[in-house]
Amino acid sequence: MKILRYGSLLAAGLIAGSVQAETLRLSHNVGDTTTWHQGAERFGKLLSDKTDGAYDVRVFPNAQLSGGDQMRQAEMVGRGALDLVVTSAINVTPLVPEMAVFSLPYLYANYDEVDATTQGAPGEMLSEILLDKGIKVLAWGENGFREVTNNVRPITAPEDLEGLNMRVAGPMYIDVMNALGANPQQMQWSETLTALQQGVVDGQENPIGAVIIPQQVYEMQDYLTAWHYSYDPIFLGISTEKWDSLDAETQEAMQEAATEAMAYQREITREGTEEGVDFLREQGMEVYEPTEEELQAFREATQPAFDQWAGKVGDEIVGAFQDAIAEAGTSGTN
Ligand code: X2X
């Protein structure tokens, strides 16, 4: 049915000599070497294949379409000014504070726990809220566990962060860094590499596979601590205005393309992260992997920020996440 329909559309267009794919614009806020970008490109390819070329997705990196403002993308998609977005949860917290739930410090211990929420009912709760804001979440992907890097000293305990100038992405991380005694500064990702290079800030925190390696953060940072302090999912979303204008078959093709593309994106991100620590060491970074006791010290130090943000998210959502996490158990690997 689907093939027939697009096939006949295509044939009609060919006869008329006017086959015009509809172009959809997709915005994301990291560079074109990242797994975010690869996931977005894969989505475009799959959508085009599944609709016999009726749709063409143009991927714009580095938040170009929102004037370099990574937090504005979600709001723009919400009001239909952008068709599609790939962004991470933390970027949506100014619009939807509940999105901070995923990134609460030390909420997750491993990927099994992550998947029990992003790929399950708890993730749906957030999708529902986003739908009310005009954003339909098609699928969840992965930015990853955010690891801290800096140029001053190895970080093995909360005290080591004292006085470091740290670039952070969003409001919750300001509170987390303050709890740890650092001097946080909110900055666009697109401006961060230059800021690190010029020593405007001492450090930053981002996931290894999705961002640190593809964006060559190791070229400008000496120390990394794999403290897994906060998880950050990404999602592929479409404006509800655009979604509602599509017929059921196109919606189905798009949903399939998104699900497959984000599964691929999660896979390559996890692979990149797993191989990443060795790679970073080869590049000359000093990588520190904290012991369980050391992690506990970071967990305790960040507890006030957890409590404060759990309050903003609300008991119902935090409880649903914690229940799903408890059920997933702690037997997985990180
Ligand atoms: O800005 C960041 O640090 C990034 C790329 O991880 C996010 O989009 C939150």
Side-chain angles (χ1 to χ4, degrees):
M1 177 65 189
K2 179 180 75 190
I3 293 169
L4 247 183
R5 184 167 177 279
Y6 287 115
S8 53
L9 262 182
L10 197 71
L14 278 174
I15 292 158
S18 64
V19 177
Q20 267 279 345
E22 181 180 343
T23 299
L24 301 174
R25 297 192 310 165
L26 185 155
S27 173
H28 76 77
N29 56 273
V30 288
D32 63 7
T33 54
T34 60
T35 63
W36 298 32
H37 194 86
Q38 287 171 276
E41 291 283 5
R42 176 65 65 102
F43 168 69
K45 164 100 179 57
L46 289 168
L47 181 64
S48 174
D49 289 351
K50 287 175 196 289
T51 59
D52 286 333
Y55 289 91
D56 175 41
V57 175
R58 264 195 81 185
V59 179
F60 294 83
N62 296 315
Q64 287 167 33
L65 297 180
S66 54
D69 186 343
Q70 66 192 68
M71 306 254 172
R72 249 186 73 212
Q73 299 172 107
E75 175 261 320
M76 286 178 72
V77 172
R79 63 181 158 84
L82 282 175
D83 301 317
L84 293 152
V85 68
V86 169
T87 195
S88 82
I90 204 77
N91 291 301
V92 187
T93 53
L95 186 68
V96 177
E98 291 92 334
M99 285 290 273
V101 66
F102 299 100
S103 312
L104 290 172
Y106 291 103
L107 178 69
Y108 300 105
N110 56 55
Y111 289 130
D112 287 345
E113 295 179 3
V114 167
D115 293 344
T117 60
T118 59
Q119 309 303 314
E124 284 295 319
M125 294 173 89
L126 278 302
S127 300
E128 290 287 320
I129 298 174
L130 288 180
L131 202 57
D132 280 344
K133 300 282 178 186
I135 304 165
K136 177 171 173 60
V137 174
L138 293 166
W140 296 92
E142 184 150 286
N143 196 13
F145 283 99
R146 304 180 69 94
E147 317 295 17
V148 65
T149 70
N150 84 100
N151 255 344
V152 177
R153 56 180 166 257
I155 295 170
T156 63
E159 301 75 62
D160 296 322
L161 276 141
E162 191 80 46
L164 294 188
N165 294 319
M166 298 298 297
R167 176 271 173 179
V168 293
M172 188 180 73
Y173 294 139
I174 291 186
D175 295 330
V176 177
M177 284 294 169
N178 276 328
L180 290 163
N183 302 323
Q185 191 176 329
Q186 191 170 337
M187 194 183 286
Q188 299 296 331
W189 175 249
S190 56
E191 291 164 9
T192 301
L193 294 174
T194 314
L196 289 170
Q197 217 152 20
Q198 296 178 347
V200 175
V201 286
D202 300 315
Q204 62 88 46
E205 44 70 60
N206 252 295
I208 291 176
V211 176
I212 289 180
I213 291 179
Q215 301 244 237
Q216 298 175 304
V217 174
Y218 52 86
E219 303 241 310
M220 44 208 89
Q221 294 276 271
D222 296 333
Y223 307 103
L224 181 143
T225 297
W227 63 347
H228 311 323
Y229 88 123
S230 173
Y231 179 80
D232 194 23
I234 61 171
F235 64 91
L236 169 55
I238 183 168
S239 80
T240 51
E241 193 180 312
K242 179 51 90 181
W243 177 255
D244 292 342
S245 77
L246 303 173
D247 62 39
E249 280 163 272
T250 305
Q251 287 183 345
E252 197 187 323
M254 184 175 283
Q255 181 57 66
E256 282 175 18
T259 303
E260 287 174 39
M262 286 297 105
Y264 163 75
Q265 191 276 339
R266 288 197 308 277
E267 195 182 310
I268 57 173
T269 300
R270 286 183 191 181
E271 275 168 22
T273 300
E274 203 182 313
E275 297 157 6
V277 170
D278 285 345
F279 176 82
L280 292 174
R281 288 191 171 125
E282 279 162 29
Q283 299 304 312
M285 261 196 134
E286 194 175 314
V287 177
Y288 188 74
E289 298 179 274
T291 63
E292 209 26 69
E293 262 179 7
E294 286 165 339
L295 287 178
Q296 187 54 28
F298 288 120
R299 194 174 289 123
E300 279 165 22
T302 54
Q303 189 67 43
F306 183 107
D307 294 341
Q308 183 187 345
W309 280 83
K312 291 190 204 227
V313 171
D315 290 345
E316 197 195 338
I317 294 176
V318 174
F321 273 66
Q322 287 174 327
D323 289 348
I325 288 167
E327 216 170 290
T330 50
S331 55
T333 49
N334 219 337

